[in-house]
Amino acid sequence: MKIIDRYIIRNFIGTFIFITISLQFLSVIIDISQRMHRLENNQGSIKEALIFYYPFWSIWLINTFSPISVFLSVIFFTSKLTHNSEITAILSSGISFRRLTIPYLISAIVIGIIALIINYYFLPVANKKKNEFHYQYLLSPKYKNKYENNQTISTQISKNEYIFIRNFSKKKNIGKECVYQKFNGKKLIYILKSRNIFWYKKQRIYIFFDYKETIIKKYHDFFIIGDFKIKKLPITPEQFLPEEYIAETMNIHELKKFIDGEKNKRNMNMHLNEYYQRTSFPFSTLIFTILGLSISTKRKKGEIAYNIIVGIALAFFYIFFIEITKIYSNKDYIPSLLAVWLPNLIYGIITLFFYWNRSMN
């Protein structure tokens, strides 16, 4: 690796870290000022928010806006090189524009791989912590009541198992009038009915109170009645009563398993969007790196300010574009895979045009 490569990689990644940290401080200050009133109304404190909410919220924010941070980093750093005629000197020395792209690509791949690993495994943990605090202290009264109200459950929990509960409280983890059924193919072989059901979260078990079991055999049915029965089921209340953002609290393998288990249900695009964007966001790092390089290596009067304005406009339009396509996907107007990857596809075409145009000059 040449000195110029190390210089570009070091400064690119250094600028990216600086911009990312600066945006986090600014975002946290703005967010605290907007949420302070609701936080106090729910008996929370700024100190608790700074310890138990904002560190995890920042991880989510960094990952969500990493394409923007990368784009601005490339534009800011490369525009300075262009302004100081360093890019001109590099290209005049015989290094082609394509060769100049290599250290930028290496930096983008490093950032993209780190973002991919965080997306797959670490971001779900941060989202879970963030959401727990949000539901307790930052949720509006309207949505808090909706979250805590009892709900009826009727769902398939595995290939051969079904559960029905008349009323289940997510706040108390208690349900009433429960029926659990197990099949062998199309044949019903087991029924468990209970007056109440309790989810013991610590042990991850269900306790059926005042129950009646029916074991169905070929020539005779067996009945068992008891006060309580402990049973493990391959699903948690969070899964059969998922919150709107349950998918973002699962790692990539849990999310894939969850989607496969729910694939027969309608309105799965919200979860599919989350699954696909775990990969699409890190991939966009490559697109924005090349696009930023292509834009910021052209000399023009006031290029740094101009390039930063263009960069901010393009980056935020990308985020806006993603949100629009996800809304249409959530309403089942377009497939989830297309909705998530369409912005990358369009921006990829734009990037190829800018890159080809710059490399020919």
Side-chain angles (χ1 to χ4, degrees), residues 39-53:
L39 190 64
E40 292 173 350
N41 287 343
N42 288 318
Q43 288 75 51
S45 68
I46 294 177
K47 181 181 177 181
E48 288 176 318
L50 289 172
I51 296 172
F52 300 110
Y53 178 72

Side-chain angles (χ1 to χ4, degrees), residues 159-211:
K159 184 179 179 181
N160 297 311
E161 296 173 281
Y162 297 81
I163 193 166
F164 309 92
I165 304 173
R166 183 177 293 276
N167 288 299
F168 189 88
S169 168
K170 286 189 285 186
K171 184 178 180 181
K172 299 178 180 178
N173 284 325
I174 295 175
K176 298 180 179 179
E177 298 184 30
C178 172
V179 178
Y180 165 80
Q181 297 177 339
K182 189 172 183 179
F183 287 78
N184 183 7
K186 295 183 179 181
K187 184 180 179 183
L188 181 64
I189 60 172
Y190 178 80
I191 303 173
L192 174 60
K193 295 182 180 180
S194 67
R195 186 180 297 274
N196 296 293
I197 182 173
F198 174 69
W199 164 245
Y200 188 31
K201 189 174 183 179
K202 188 175 181 180
Q203 297 292 331
R204 300 183 67 83
I205 56 174
Y206 291 91
I207 304 175
F208 295 80
F209 292 97
D210 194 8
Y211 74 92

Side-chain angles (χ1 to χ4, degrees), residues 18-36:
F18 172 76
I19 288 179
T20 299
I21 293 174
S22 300
L23 288 175
Q24 296 317 299
F25 276 114
L26 182 62
S27 300
V28 168
I29 291 169
I30 294 173
D31 198 71
I32 286 177
S33 65
Q34 292 180 337
R35 296 179 184 268
M36 191 180 300

Side-chain angles (χ1 to χ4, degrees), residues 20-287:
T20 299
I21 293 174
S22 300
L23 288 175
Q24 296 317 299
F25 276 114
L26 182 62
S27 300
V28 168
I29 291 169
I30 294 173
D31 198 71
I32 286 177
S33 65
Q34 292 180 337
R35 296 179 184 268
M36 191 180 300
H37 181 67
R38 185 172 294 174
L39 190 64
E40 292 173 350
N41 287 343
N42 288 318
Q43 288 75 51
S45 68
I46 294 177
K47 181 181 177 181
E48 288 176 318
L50 289 172
I51 296 172
F52 300 110
Y53 178 72
Y54 282 106
F56 306 108
W57 180 79
S58 294
I59 294 173
W60 167 81
L61 195 68
I62 288 170
N63 220 52
T64 301
F65 291 96
S66 61
I68 292 179
S69 297
V70 166
F71 196 32
L72 294 179
S73 301
V74 173
I75 286 178
F76 183 76
F77 165 61
T78 310
S79 293
K80 284 182 66 178
L81 294 181
T82 304
H83 179 74
N84 296 331
S85 300
E86 292 179 69
I87 293 292
T88 303
I90 292 170
L91 296 177
S92 299
S93 67
I95 296 176
S96 68
F97 186 73
R98 293 180 182 178
R99 175 62 183 84
L100 179 65
T101 306
I102 292 176
Y104 283 90
L105 278 177
I106 292 172
S107 304
I109 289 170
V110 170
I111 294 172
I113 289 174
I114 293 172
L116 195 70
I117 293 171
I118 292 173
N119 255 353
Y120 277 15
Y121 301 106
F122 296 102
L123 183 62
V125 178
N127 282 334
K128 189 171 184 179
K129 297 290 185 181
K130 169 179 70 74
N131 290 351
E132 285 174 357
F133 190 93
H134 182 82
Y135 289 139
Q136 186 172 356
Y137 295 109
L138 299 174
L139 208 62
S140 67
K142 177 183 175 181
Y143 285 100
K144 199 164 189 177
N145 290 333
K146 181 181 177 182
Y147 172 75
E148 294 176 350
N149 282 344
N150 294 352
Q151 298 186 46
T152 298
I153 296 167
S154 176
T155 188
Q156 182 178 358
I157 60 177
S158 74
K159 184 179 179 181
N160 297 311
E161 296 173 281
Y162 297 81
I163 193 166
F164 309 92
I165 304 173
R166 183 177 293 276
N167 288 299
F168 189 88
S169 168
K170 286 189 285 186
K171 184 178 180 181
K172 299 178 180 178
N173 284 325
I174 295 175
K176 298 180 179 179
E177 298 184 30
C178 172
V179 178
Y180 165 80
Q181 297 177 339
K182 189 172 183 179
F183 287 78
N184 183 7
K186 295 183 179 181
K187 184 180 179 183
L188 181 64
I189 60 172
Y190 178 80
I191 303 173
L192 174 60
K193 295 182 180 180
S194 67
R195 186 180 297 274
N196 296 293
I197 182 173
F198 174 69
W199 164 245
Y200 188 31
K201 189 174 183 179
K202 188 175 181 180
Q203 297 292 331
R204 300 183 67 83
I205 56 174
Y206 291 91
I207 304 175
F208 295 80
F209 292 97
D210 194 8
Y211 74 92
K212 177 182 178 181
E213 282 183 293
T214 304
I215 303 171
I216 303 171
K217 298 293 185 179
K218 187 173 182 179
Y219 299 107
H220 186 69
D221 295 345
F222 296 91
F223 300 97
I224 303 172
I225 297 176
D227 293 328
F228 71 91
K229 182 178 180 66
I230 297 173
K231 192 173 184 65
K232 280 196 172 185
L233 298 177
I235 194 170
T236 65
E238 287 81 10
Q239 290 173 300
F240 59 61
L241 278 177
E243 278 89 28
E244 186 176 358
Y245 300 108
I246 185 65
E248 68 179 27
T249 65
M250 301 178 183
N251 67 43
I252 195 68
H253 305 300
E254 292 169 340
L255 182 54
K256 181 67 168 62
K257 184 178 179 181
F258 174 75
I259 290 172
D260 289 343
E262 302 284 309
K263 62 185 177 182
N264 293 326
K265 294 186 177 181
R266 298 180 61 189
N267 229 0
M268 284 299 296
N269 278 6
M270 182 179 294
H271 306 310
L272 287 168
N273 289 342
E274 174 67 25
Y275 178 75
Y276 291 129
Q277 77 178 20
R278 295 278 179 95
T279 304
S280 70
F281 266 15
F283 183 81
S284 67
T285 300
L286 296 173
I287 296 173

Side-chain angles (χ1 to χ4, degrees), residues 286-299:
L286 296 173
I287 296 173
F288 278 109
T289 297
I290 302 303
L291 181 58
L293 175 63
S294 304
I295 291 173
S296 55
T297 50
K298 284 190 174 182
R299 293 213 59 168

